[in-house]
C-alpha cells in the first residue's frame, strides 16, 4: 500500500473518505498493514542498487513495522488536520462479518469476470496484510527515513498542490 507523490487516484479517494468520516473501520481495527511512502520506496530501491548482496535478491520495502488500522486511520486524520483540512467527526465501524460477506461477494463476482473495487477493498479491510522488512534492513541497509505521519502529510500536500479535492 503506497502513498505519497505520484500515488494512484484511489489514494486520494481514500483521503477524501477518511476526511469526511466515510471510511469504515472493519472489526476491532487491530489488523495490521504495511505501508510505504513513495520516498521510502525510492530510498529502498537506491539502497538495493548499490548493495553487493542485493544482486538477484528480492526485498520487502515498507515504512517499518506494520501498523494496526486504528493507528493508520488516526494518523491520516492527524495529517489532514495538520495540513489545514477540517475532518468530519466520527469513524464508522462495521463488524468483521461485513468484511467476510464482502470478501465472498467479491470472489463470486470476480469468478464471473466482474471487479468492484469498493467491494474488494471492504473484503480486505478485516485482514492483516503485512510484510517483514528485516532482510532489507540487514542486507541493503534500508532504514526508512520518513515515518507515517510525515509521509501522510507530504501526500496530502502533494494532492492539494495539484488541486485534488480532499
Amino acid at each position: 500500500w503506497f502513498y505519497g507523490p505520484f500515488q494512484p487516484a484511489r489514494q486520494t479517494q481514500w483521503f477524501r473518505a477518511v476526511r469526511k468520516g466515510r471510511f469504515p473501520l472493519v472489526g476491532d481495527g487491530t489488523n495490521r498493514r504495511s505501508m510505504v511512502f513513495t520516498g521510502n520506496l525510492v530510498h529502498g530501491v537506491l539502497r538495493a542498487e548499490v548493495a553487493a548482496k542485493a544482486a538477484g535478491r528480492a526485498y520487502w520495502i515498507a515504512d517499518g513495522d506494520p501498523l494496526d488500522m486504528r493507528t493508520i486511520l488516526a494518523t491520516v486524520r492527524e495529517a489532514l488536520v495538520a495540513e489545514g483540512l477540517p475532518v468530519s467527526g466520527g469513524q464508522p465501524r462495521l463488524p468483521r462479518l461485513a468484511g467476510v460477506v464482502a470478501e465472498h461477494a467479491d470472489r463470486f463476482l470476480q469468478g464471473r469476470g466482474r471487479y468492484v473495487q469498493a467491494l474488494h477493498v471492504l473484503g480486505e479491510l478485516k485482514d492483516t496484510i503485512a510484510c517483514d522488512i528485516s532482510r532489507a534492513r540487514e542486507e541493503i541497509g534500508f532504514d526508512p527515513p520518513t515515518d507515517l505521519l510525515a509521509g501522510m502529510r507530504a501526500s496530502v500536500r502533494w494532492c492539494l498542490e495539484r488541486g485534488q479535492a480532499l
Side-chain angles (χ1 to χ4, degrees):
W1 184 351
F2 72 95
Y3 63 96
F6 307 102
Q7 68 192 18
R10 68 179 178 270
Q11 184 67 29
T12 306
Q13 292 169 341
W14 182 63
F15 282 149
R16 192 176 308 117
V18 171
R19 181 172 175 236
K20 293 180 178 181
R22 294 183 181 153
F23 190 84
L25 183 65
V26 177
D28 63 5
T30 59
N31 57 308
R32 297 172 302 118
R33 291 296 170 106
S34 289
M35 302 186 70
V36 64
F37 176 60
T38 52
N40 290 343
L41 182 58
V42 169
H43 175 70
V45 169
L46 293 174
R47 293 297 310 154
E49 181 182 35
V50 300
K53 289 185 176 183
R57 308 265 302 167
Y59 298 93
W60 287 110
I61 301 295
D63 287 347
D65 293 330
L67 299 171
D68 65 63
M69 283 301 294
R70 289 179 302 202
T71 300
I72 291 168
L73 290 170
T75 303
V76 170
R77 292 169 67 88
E78 183 180 351
L80 289 162
V81 169
E83 294 303 321
L85 297 170
V87 175
S88 298
Q91 176 69 60
R93 296 187 71 131
L94 293 173
R96 187 176 189 288
L97 180 61
V100 172
V101 170
E103 179 182 23
H104 288 289
D106 177 49
R107 191 176 300 132
F108 175 82
L109 289 173
Q110 285 196 44
R112 281 142 186 85
R114 295 218 34 222
Y115 176 74
V116 179
Q117 183 181 11
L119 189 63
H120 181 80
V121 170
L122 181 59
E124 288 183 336
L125 285 176
K126 66 189 179 344
D127 300 328
T128 289
I129 302 174
C131 64
D132 177 359
I133 66 169
S134 61
R135 192 168 85 184
R137 288 183 189 273
E138 294 164 12
E139 293 184 9
I140 65 172
F142 174 66
D143 185 23
T146 305
D147 69 10
L148 184 65
L149 179 58
M152 286 294 175
R153 288 189 67 179
S155 186
V156 169
R157 282 192 305 273
W158 184 82
C159 291
L160 294 175
E161 288 166 1
R162 278 145 191 80
Q164 297 176 2
L166 297 180

